[in-house]
């Protein structure tokens, strides 16, 4: 560093002097097209149901879901990821409602496609946990363990009914070994080569999913540590990435986002397809709760958290603030 007397000649602060200077030299920019809105639709309700653990987020009716999709289009959001919440009596051991063409998720997919057409990427969560009475992401064997290969058969059926219902993108999220290859084959067998797969490549068994359990009315007892990844492991994510890419993933994802920015950076560096990250329910709820207490500046914290996720390497971000932030950026 060049100095004159006791003063620095090189002053990085010159590039921070005004808002316009900071904007001009910013290395990372958020854009409405970065965002995907996760949304819940609940069977058998006539009014949206607030989710107590996620202030501002609701379980939609079919009509309010269509409105939320239209608002996302208007804001410039790229996609909407749908999660179905069936009535409790429609859950069973194998998640039959998840493959019923008239199940809540398939009905919602048709509703949203009819509302927005191709103006918004309509995505569907491809997993059994919302539809099983035990709350696990797959079929259980006679010892109560998740049976990987029996679950793959169910995922193949789910992929086909979701594609037929209008999904542009399916998101296999169960972390079953071989799920991407099975889903790709199932889609191709029915002539749905154009339906893309967003692989939940690195999905960790996280405490931050807590509020999501309420959002989907989860019946889970126990945990998912035998199939979701261990928080202690990083290299394992790159192994999962290599397998998903080999099996035909069109996009890959890291979930959660904020607590796993190191994993996101590693995956982004190694991937030759677009990388997404899911800012999950616990991340959302912590900021909302702290802001409600007056402990943090809500709007700044939201933007800072999202900027950090994009800076780490995410091309797209699933966030419950998608429409709100997209409107702010526009």
């Amino acid at each position: 560093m060049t100095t004159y007397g006791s003063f620095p000649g090189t002053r990085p602060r010159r590039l921070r002097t005004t808002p316009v200077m900071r904007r001009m030299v910013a290395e990372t920019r958020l854009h409405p097209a970065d965002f995907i809105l996760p949304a819940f639709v609940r069977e058998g309700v006539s009014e949206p149901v607030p989710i107590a653990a996620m202030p501002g987020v609701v379980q939609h009716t079919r009509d309010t879901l269509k409105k939320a999709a239209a608002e996302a289009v208007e804001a410039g959001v790229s996609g909407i990821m749908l999660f179905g919440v069936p009535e409790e009596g429609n859950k069973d051991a194998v998640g039959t409602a998840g493959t019923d063409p008239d199940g809540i998720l398939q009905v919602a997919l048709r509703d949203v496609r009819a509302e927005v057409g191709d103006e918004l990427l309509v995505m569907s969560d491809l997993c059994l946990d919302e539809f099983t009475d035990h709350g696990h992401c797959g079929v259980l064997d006679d010892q109560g363990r998740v049976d990987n290969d029996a679950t793959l058969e169910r995922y193949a059926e789910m992929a086909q009914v979701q594609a037929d219902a209008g999904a542009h993108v399916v998101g296999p999220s169960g972390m079953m070994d071989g799920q991407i290859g099975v889903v790709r084959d199932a889609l191709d067998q029915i002539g749905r080569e154009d339906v893309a797969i967003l692989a939940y490549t690195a999905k960790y068994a996280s405490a931050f999913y807590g509020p999501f359990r309420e959002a989907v009315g989860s019946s889970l007892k126990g945990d998912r540590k035998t199939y979701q990844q261990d928080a202690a492991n990083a290299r394992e994510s790159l192994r999962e990435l290599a397998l998903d890419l080999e099996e035909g993933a069109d996009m890959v994802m890291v979930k959660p986002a904020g607590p796993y920015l190191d994993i996101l950076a590693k995956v982004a560096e190694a991937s030759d397809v677009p990388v997404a990250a899911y800012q999950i329910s616990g991340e959302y709820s912590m900021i909302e709760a702290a802001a409600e207490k007056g402990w943090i500046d809500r709007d700044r914290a939201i933007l800072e958290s999202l900027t950090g996720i994009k800076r780490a390497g995410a091309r797209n971000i699933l966030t419950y603030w998608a429409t709100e932030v997209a409107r702010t950026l526009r």
Side-chain angles (χ1 to χ4, degrees):
M1 180 176 70
T2 303
T3 60
Y4 300 94
S6 59
F7 301 106
T10 302
R11 295 181 182 269
R13 286 183 56 188
R14 294 190 190 104
L15 299 183
R16 306 171 196 154
T17 51
T18 65
V20 70
M21 176 67 82
R22 294 191 294 274
R23 185 181 68 195
M24 184 183 76
V25 301
E27 298 173 24
T28 304
R29 301 181 193 276
L30 295 172
H31 187 278
D34 296 337
F35 301 123
I36 297 165
L37 175 68
F40 308 101
V41 58
R42 180 169 171 176
E43 186 176 26
V45 295
S46 58
E47 298 290 337
V49 179
I51 300 167
M54 300 177 68
V57 180
V58 301
Q59 294 171 328
H60 284 286
T61 69
R62 290 173 60 187
D63 286 338
T64 64
L65 177 65
K66 290 188 289 185
K67 181 180 178 183
E71 290 172 348
V73 170
E74 184 179 3
V77 170
S78 286
I80 186 168
M81 175 67 78
L82 301 186
F83 296 85
V85 184
E87 294 185 293
E88 196 65 28
N90 288 336
K91 295 182 180 182
D92 62 21
V94 296
T96 300
T99 51
D100 180 352
D102 295 319
I104 183 59
L105 182 52
Q106 284 67 253
V107 169
L109 285 166
R110 291 195 292 270
D111 284 345
V112 174
R113 276 301 300 271
E115 183 72 21
V116 301
D118 293 332
E119 293 186 85
L120 186 70
L121 284 174
V122 180
M123 306 178 172
S124 55
D125 179 58
L126 200 164
C127 196
L128 289 171
D129 59 324
E130 296 103 309
F131 306 103
T132 55
D133 53 14
H134 47 73
H136 277 288
C137 297
V139 178
L140 303 185
D141 63 18
D142 56 8
Q143 296 183 54
R145 301 172 301 188
V146 175
D147 185 324
N148 191 93
D149 295 357
T151 298
L152 293 181
E153 294 180 13
R154 299 289 293 130
Y155 285 3
E157 294 178 58
M158 289 189 81
Q160 292 177 341
V161 298
Q162 289 178 359
D164 284 343
H168 294 106
V169 180
V170 296
S173 61
M175 290 299 289
M176 296 298 120
D177 294 339
Q179 63 184 11
I180 302 306
V182 165
V183 168
R184 183 72 270 159
D185 287 346
L187 292 169
D188 292 352
Q189 284 172 16
I190 62 168
R192 298 288 183 173
E193 297 89 351
D194 57 336
V195 174
I197 299 175
L198 170 57
Y200 283 59
T201 291
K203 183 178 180 181
Y204 283 84
S206 172
F208 292 96
Y209 296 131
F212 183 88
R213 305 279 189 256
E214 178 189 348
V216 297
S218 175
S219 303
L220 180 68
K221 295 178 178 62
D223 59 50
R224 297 176 174 143
K225 292 181 180 179
T226 63
Y227 46 102
Q228 293 179 353
Q229 286 183 243
D230 188 330
N233 295 344
R235 284 193 299 271
E236 184 179 33
S237 294
L238 298 181
R239 185 183 187 197
E240 294 281 4
L241 173 65
L243 290 167
D244 284 354
L245 293 177
E246 181 181 346
E247 291 172 26
D250 299 290
M251 299 171 277
V252 296
M253 187 198 296
V254 173
K255 180 181 182 181
Y260 295 89
L261 295 180
D262 60 324
I263 305 301
L264 175 57
K266 291 177 185 291
V267 169
E269 184 177 0
S271 176
D272 60 358
V273 301
V275 176
Y278 197 146
Q279 185 182 53
I280 66 169
S281 59
E283 299 174 72
Y284 173 92
S285 296
M286 287 192 300
I287 290 177
E288 290 287 353
E292 184 180 356
K293 291 282 191 180
W295 294 339
I296 61 173
D297 181 320
R298 175 185 181 274
D299 294 348
R300 286 183 59 197
I302 291 170
L303 289 174
E304 186 174 337
S305 69
L306 293 169
T307 299
I309 294 166
K310 187 170 183 183
R311 188 183 64 242
R315 170 64 275 175
N316 296 104
I317 304 171
L318 286 83
T319 176
Y320 300 99
W321 291 302
T323 301
E324 176 186 343
V325 172
R327 285 172 173 160
T328 299
L329 294 174
R330 284 173 73 109

